[in-house]
Amino acid sequence: MPGDPDPYSDEVEVEMEVEVEVEVEVEELTGGGTARVFRIGETVRKPVMPWTPAVHRLLDHLERQSFEGAPAAHGTDERGRMILTYLAGDVGNYPLPDAIRSSQALVTSARLLRRYHDATTDLAQHPGGDWQFDALAPVEVICHGDFAPYNCVFTGERAVGLIDFDAARPGPRAWDLAYALYRYAPLTHPDNHDGWGTTEQQAHRAREFLDAYGCTRAERQSVMDMAAPRLESLADFLREGAAAGDENFRRHIEEGHLALYVRDIDYIRDHAEVWARLAL
């Protein structure tokens, strides 16, 4: 009726904002590094270092190149830590499970490294100078610097991602490939706890890795020539860090890591003829 109040005219819709406390999973990630790294939800947080801007520049470049096998960088958090995308999967920590010792894991890791290297060639032309380590000649790519199962992410037997770019530096492809063979073939003394297989079996896996990467004969020879010097560089880095007072490096030496490297260097040199056959 006219004049009757509209029963809805004074109805006010009130949007109530309800705060829901979401519990975010926090997990400390382990696997051999010296810095404390945490997973918080779908992100990873790690300390900012002097070379972090170079790592951010690398990760941003990889994203622009549509390389999907690396985390994206998202600045820093309220505690000043790097924020990185968490890559889902299994990391190849020691002792390696059978899936990551498989031929499929070896081949897909080699192809992942090749895709990563190829995605960095443009950046390598103007890399800047704020990396943790100096550039190595000839500069062909931005080396990952620590390409190993413990820095790869796997889905089953397939390598799908790459993490921890702190040791990245401009340099030759052979620098990464030599260390990859040390960890994947592996070019280690059969008595070492992280090694397996005979020398001939290791040589076969090394050739399989290099072929999956797409190496030419000359490139295979270059990688094998680099194997012992690459490991010597790691041993020197460990010694220098311990001498400078770094407790993590001293602990690694006390745990026998340096002794293993020295033994493996001798092993690689003693079997130079076996590795040389890879280039044929």
Side-chain angles (χ1 to χ4, degrees):
M1 290 178 59
D4 285 350
D6 182 348
Y8 301 105
S9 60
D10 294 326
E11 182 175 302
V12 178
E13 291 186 16
V14 178
E15 291 185 7
M16 298 183 64
E17 185 175 319
V18 179
E19 285 192 13
V20 179
E21 187 172 335
V22 179
E23 186 174 340
V24 178
E25 179 184 358
V26 178
E27 173 190 2
E28 184 167 6
L29 303 176
T30 60
T34 57
R36 298 188 70 187
V37 179
F38 295 88
R39 175 188 176 186
I40 301 180
E42 296 306 310
T43 68
V44 171
R45 314 296 173 96
K46 62 186 300 182
V48 168
M49 306 300 287
W51 52 86
T52 295
V55 172
H56 274 189
R57 190 165 69 249
L58 170 59
L59 295 178
D60 289 345
H61 176 81
L62 292 174
E63 189 172 14
R64 289 193 298 272
Q65 293 293 313
S66 298
F67 177 77
E68 298 178 352
H74 301 288
T76 56
D77 65 11
E78 68 282 356
R79 297 187 183 181
R81 299 174 298 187
M82 291 178 66
I83 305 174
L84 302 167
T85 305
Y86 173 74
L87 299 185
D90 298 314
V91 175
N93 293 325
Y94 293 104
L96 295 180
D98 289 342
I100 298 178
R101 293 187 181 209
S102 68
S103 177
Q104 176 79 342
L106 181 144
V107 167
T108 56
S109 294
R111 292 171 180 166
L112 174 67
L113 180 58
R114 179 59 186 255
R115 292 196 304 273
Y116 164 72
H117 279 167
D118 289 351
T120 69
T121 54
D122 289 346
L123 181 60
Q125 296 177 22
H126 305 283
D130 50 354
W131 306 91
Q132 180 179 184
F133 301 105
D134 293 338
L136 295 171
V139 172
E140 299 169 338
V141 297
I142 303 298
C143 297
H144 177 272
D146 196 8
F147 190 90
Y150 53 74
N151 280 328
C152 289
V153 178
F154 296 85
T155 299
E157 296 184 351
R158 295 186 60 83
V160 297
L162 184 56
I163 60 175
D164 194 354
F165 293 81
D166 283 338
R169 68 196 302 178
R173 294 172 186 261
W175 184 255
D176 272 346
L177 285 165
Y179 192 67
L181 293 191
Y182 175 64
R183 291 297 184 179
Y184 274 92
L187 302 184
T188 58
H189 193 288
D191 290 344
N192 284 355
H193 63 277
D194 290 333
W196 69 88
T198 65
T199 302
E200 292 293 336
Q201 289 170 331
Q202 292 170 357
H204 175 77
R205 284 175 57 86
R207 177 60 184 264
E208 190 175 14
F209 190 101
L210 296 177
D211 284 348
Y213 182 90
C215 287
T216 65
R217 177 176 176 176
E219 288 167 342
R220 292 195 299 268
Q221 186 63 61
S222 175
V223 172
M224 299 319 301
D225 289 344
M226 182 76 77
R230 174 66 183 88
L231 197 52
E232 286 175 334
S233 174
L234 178 57
D236 290 342
F237 180 61
L238 202 56
R239 293 189 188 97
E240 292 165 4
D246 190 303
E247 291 302 322
N248 287 310
F249 287 91
R250 288 180 178 175
R251 174 172 53 82
H252 284 320
I253 290 177
E254 291 171 358
E255 292 173 351
H257 293 268
L258 179 59
L260 288 178
Y261 296 150
V262 170
R263 187 180 191 184
D264 288 340
I265 291 166
D266 290 341
Y267 174 74
I268 291 170
R269 293 196 185 283
D270 289 345
H271 294 84
E273 292 184 3
V274 178
W275 319 131
R277 290 203 297 271
L278 294 173
L280 300 178

